[in-house]
Amino acid sequence: MIGVVVVDDEPLVRSGLRAILGSAADIGVVADCGGAEAVAVVERHRPQVVLLDIRMPDVDGLTVLARLAAVSPPPAVAMLTTFDAGEYVDRALRGGAAGFLMKNTSPEQLVHAVRVLAGGGRVLGPEAAGPVIGGYLASAPADDAARLVAGLTERERQVLALVGHGMSNREIAATLHLAHGTVKDHVSAMLTKLGGVNRVQAAVVAERAGMIAGRGAAPRR
């Protein structure tokens, strides 16, 4: 059973997420709370996944994220965001956020995201991709994304572009007609060459390098 804690200042949002995730046989919301109680609740219940509102009036999500980094073992944290939260994106990425999800994410996508997070993966919901990448580009210091990408092999660049489109390793394997294990190796090598970034940050690099301008169409083999 995947244990989840939902942290949001709005009880209605918490109850809605609890109901959605509770419909999955392998997921259980062990607790929900506001920002002030979040660290104590996580330490008490030791969830695998935390869904954390990025903006709260008592203790904001970025503060909670920093405090959760000291919990051992730390849970995978996905930030719950809105279209106007771009100014927080850079700090959340650098603070170790494992992903971003819009509050209006579909039930199916939410359940899938929790499973990915519990398995050690990173998530960037389709609806969140634009605000997250746009916010990061607006706030991040300029760097030479093209130079970073130039250090990748052709196959690693293909993989990076597909990561930028939000594909999982299995989806990338199917698109490129490669074994799943081979894709995992390419992803690991690519992330290392980009400076030890996570998948969300790699998607930003791909965007900055102009690799995913037409987000609707993934590159062909």
Side-chain angles (χ1 to χ4, degrees), residues 72-100:
S72 182
V77 180
M79 309 304 294
L80 298 175
T81 186
T82 56
F83 283 102
D84 59 349
E87 69 270 24
Y88 298 92
V89 169
D90 178 49
R91 290 174 57 194
L93 280 170
R94 299 183 189 283
F100 293 83

Side-chain angles (χ1 to χ4, degrees), residues 157-197:
R157 285 194 290 272
Q158 290 176 330
V159 169
L160 173 60
L162 294 173
V163 167
H165 280 85
M167 288 191 180
S168 68
N169 285 356
R170 293 194 181 280
E171 290 170 331
I172 294 172
T175 299
L176 298 179
H177 306 290
L178 297 173
H180 181 248
T182 301
V183 170
K184 286 180 65 176
D185 290 342
H186 284 313
V187 169
S188 178
M190 177 267 293
L191 296 178
T192 299
K193 289 181 181 180
L194 293 180
V197 301

Side-chain angles (χ1 to χ4, degrees), residues 98-101 122-129 132-133 164 166 199-200 203 215:
F100 293 83
L101 296 167
R122 310 279 177 164
V123 297
L124 180 58
E127 297 89 347
V132 167
I133 292 176
R199 292 178 80 102
V200 176
R215 297 194 63 88

Side-chain angles (χ1 to χ4, degrees), residues 136-158:
Y136 188 87
L137 293 177
S139 60
D143 57 25
D144 192 357
R147 176 182 55 80
L148 291 173
V149 171
L152 304 178
T153 66
E154 178 60 28
R155 182 63 85 188
E156 288 164 355
R157 285 194 290 272
Q158 290 176 330

Side-chain angles (χ1 to χ4, degrees), residues 3-5 30 40-49 70-75:
V4 179
V5 165
V30 296
V41 168
V42 168
E43 289 179 331
R44 184 181 313 125
H45 293 280
R46 302 289 176 175
Q48 294 162 272
V49 175
V71 175
S72 182

